[in-house]
Amino acid sequence: MKLSTRGRYSTRFMIELALYYNKGPILLKEICKSQQISLKYLSQLVIPLKIAGLIKTSRGAHGGYFLARPPEEIKLSEIITAVEGSLNPVECIDNPEICERSDNCVTKAIWAEVGKKCLETLSFYTLKKMIELQKEMSGK
Amino acid sequence: MKLSTRGRYSTRFMIELALYYNKGPILLKEICKSQQISLKYLSQLVIPLKIAGLIKTSRGAHGGYFLARPPEEIKLSEIITAVEGSLNPVECIDNPEICERSDNCVTKAIWAEVGKKCLETLSFYTLKKMIELQKEMSGK
DNA sequence: AACAAATATATAAAAAAAATATATTAGTAA
DNA sequence: TTACTAATATATTTTTTTTATATATTTGTT
């Protein structure tokens, strides 16, 4: 039940983009430095984020990455599921065919409830909320 | 954010023990067969379950495994944390020292909330409840 | 005393996660 | 239009974790 670096790094990346929202594209290279993530690794994580429609890019000189939508419209749940897939703790919820007992399985129902709770929690937080929270915390 | 086989197998194992509660010890060998889990692998999972005080054993002829407490007093959360460790999705919640930014980290606070929700959900379900649910489902 | 089964430890195999390297494509601005 | 910069795509390697197996030992029962 642990989050992998894919989810963790992507979240930090997206927060960084949110901080610079509407200030032009940012280079991956810069985010790598400030967040101490390998450039090559981050450039892999960025692909599913783009496919999910969370970020946009502009190429060429003065290019870079930026949010596809304002920070208040991007949920943490979208970021995590984009790079890690479903939040359900077991495969059979999303792919019932992989387990024959799937139909009347108690544990499956419970795991599904857990997955739903996770999704709800992460859906509550948008990038904007997270930045505001951050300010509150460091302001203290 | 996936559960490993450790958690899944252990849960099935514990449900099996609950079904035979108060009917004497059960052999690991039998549970392996009915649940289709490797004997050697299961005998590893059984160790943390015993350390956590969830099961007891009797050795020698006619020995085997049985629940340390009645099914209504054993929570699913206890089973999972015994074999998988903390439900928190990131290490830094349980071991703040591994990350220097741990003190004022927004995401940490959010991951902690997720972990708490998981714990709450799994704490709600006892082995007894799960068996009852099972009956309802298959009875239909 | 012989047997049956739990316990412990070590090791191996397989799978997944994390990271790196290389080559290609595309857009910008001079 | 050319040179540059950076995104994109693909392949490969390394590392870590998970899963599984094997062997030896201890303990208790009949």
Side-chain angles (χ1 to χ4, degrees), chain B residues 4-6 9 38 40-41 44 59-62:
Chain B
S4 79
T5 55
R6 293 174 67 87
Y9 290 0
S38 139
K40 295 291 178 188
Y41 192 45
Q44 272 184 55
R59 304 181 110 173
H62 304 112

Side-chain angles (χ1 to χ4, degrees), chain B residues 5 50 52 65-67 84 90 103 108 118 128 135:
Chain B
T5 55
K50 194 178 182 188
Y65 291 86
F66 53 96
L67 294 185
E84 303 227 357
V90 289
D103 279 336
K108 181 183 167 189
C118 292
K128 192 179 179 194
K135 273 184 199 154

